Amino acid sequence: MEKIGFIGLGNMGTGMAQNLLLKGTDLTVFTRTKSKIDDFVTKGARASANVASLAKESELVLACLPDIETSLEVFLGDRGLLSSIEPGSIIIDHSTVDVETSKIIWKKSLEKNVYFIDAPISGGPVGAKEGTLTIMCGGDGIAFNKAKPVLEKMGTTVVHMGGSGTGTSMKLVNQLLTSVNSVAAMEAMIFADKGGIDLKSVIKVLSTSFGNSRMVERNGPIYIREKFSDSSALTRNIVKDLRIILDLKNELNLKLPLTELSYELFKETNKLAINEPDISAVALVLKKLSEGNRE
């Protein structure tokens, strides 16, 4: 694929698009904030005035968007990708949406003879910047193989999960574990802290023990520093993702008690009087619960 378009230059999209540029991609960009487009133009990208014009200029378009509504608008809107992109092109959604949204876009793409891949990501802004993302892809295998060299410029683990919607499903599995593990990690840190154990030693011991997890490694040091605000791993995003998971849980007739509890805890975390609370700030809610228990 020679002509690549990228839509959405937020916390994740900026790092992803920068990696494409750094690795020699012929890139056209569009986002709602003009200053972000201008910054990419200075780095060698081309600017597009809107989604439809970007579609006309691209053989492969990637989008990293904040929510379901924006994905539907960008892909299916009157001036969206499918209004202008050529048959045989590939469009990819890196956003975290629900499975139904991914399948709706896939079906509409089929009608236009366009390939659609749902390809959500994991690794956070650091992974996006360093090009080490995990990219989980659902959709046509031939289209995936064509797009894979481009995706590998942004991620070190690029996996075809299966048919349409399976990439999105895999992302929801990851978000379920991220939320539950974050709560468990913060419970453990509070437990150790109240028990008088040096928390740096706790993290060191856990690093070679069965109880370790990525959320212990990430969230433990934040708990020690008490730097819970102005995060790039936002509580409000995990709340959004958990709501999607719980809606799907009902459709699948499942019981997910730990996920449900995590959702309630993160909703309370999102109400804290701190700016853009990190997911590790759930520790503050857990501490309040303990304080209430002593009353």
Side-chain angles (χ1 to χ4, degrees), residues 9-22:
L9 302 174
N11 283 339
M12 298 296 291
T14 294
M16 296 164 73
Q18 284 176 346
N19 270 290
L20 292 175
L21 269 181
L22 289 171

Side-chain angles (χ1 to χ4, degrees), residues 42-269:
T42 65
K43 296 174 183 176
R46 288 193 300 275
S48 195
N50 52 55
V51 171
S53 64
L54 181 142
K56 291 177 183 177
E57 300 164 6
S58 307
E59 300 169 275
L60 168 65
V61 178
L62 310 103
C64 190
L65 306 165
D67 51 46
I68 291 171
E69 291 75 17
T70 308
S71 282
L72 289 172
E73 177 187 347
V74 165
F75 284 90
L76 305 182
D78 291 340
R79 296 282 291 164
L81 288 173
L82 288 181
S83 72
S84 302
I85 201 159
E86 292 293 324
S89 301
I90 300 172
I91 56 177
I92 298 178
D93 191 8
H94 292 296
S95 319
T96 300
V97 298
D98 57 9
V99 176
E100 181 183 8
T101 296
S102 292
K103 290 194 172 183
I104 288 171
I105 298 172
W106 169 66
K107 288 176 182 176
K108 294 293 185 181
S109 299
L110 285 179
E111 296 172 6
K112 299 278 189 174
N113 294 315
V114 172
Y115 293 103
F116 172 72
I117 298 173
D118 49 282
I121 50 183
S122 181
V126 173
K129 182 179 180 179
E130 296 179 352
T132 57
L133 293 172
T134 296
I135 307 177
M136 318 153 219
C137 303
D140 182 85
I142 294 173
F144 169 76
N145 287 330
K146 287 182 178 179
K148 189 177 181 183
V150 176
L151 298 175
E152 286 177 333
K153 293 180 180 182
M154 303 180 295
T156 51
T157 303
V158 180
V159 182
H160 185 224
M161 306 304 302
S164 175
T166 57
T168 294
S169 294
M170 184 63 237
K171 172 66 172 185
L172 296 177
V173 169
N174 181 75
Q175 296 305 84
L176 184 158
L177 287 168
T178 297
S179 63
V180 173
N181 284 340
S182 288
V183 173
M186 292 300 90
E187 280 197 355
M189 295 300 289
I190 293 167
F191 185 63
D193 196 10
K194 292 299 182 182
I197 310 173
D198 174 71
L199 294 181
K200 291 182 180 178
S201 298
V202 169
I203 294 173
K204 181 177 181 180
V205 169
L206 286 176
S207 70
T208 56
S209 303
F210 274 5
N212 195 37
S213 72
R214 289 290 294 275
M215 292 299 99
V216 169
E217 294 171 359
R218 181 199 179 275
N219 295 342
I222 296 174
Y223 177 86
I224 293 172
R225 296 195 305 269
E226 298 184 343
K227 181 65 172 70
F228 297 115
S229 63
D230 301 309
S231 173
S232 58
L234 298 170
T235 295
R236 59 180 165 86
N237 286 343
I238 206 74
V239 170
K240 170 185 73 75
D241 296 346
L242 285 170
R243 182 66 265 163
I244 294 171
I245 291 166
L246 292 176
D247 287 343
L248 182 58
K249 178 266 298 183
N250 292 333
E251 293 177 28
L252 299 174
N253 196 29
L254 294 174
K255 297 291 184 183
L256 302 176
L258 294 179
T259 307
E260 292 174 8
L261 177 57
S262 295
Y263 176 61
E264 296 301 324
L265 291 167
F266 279 113
K267 279 202 302 183
E268 291 304 309
T269 305

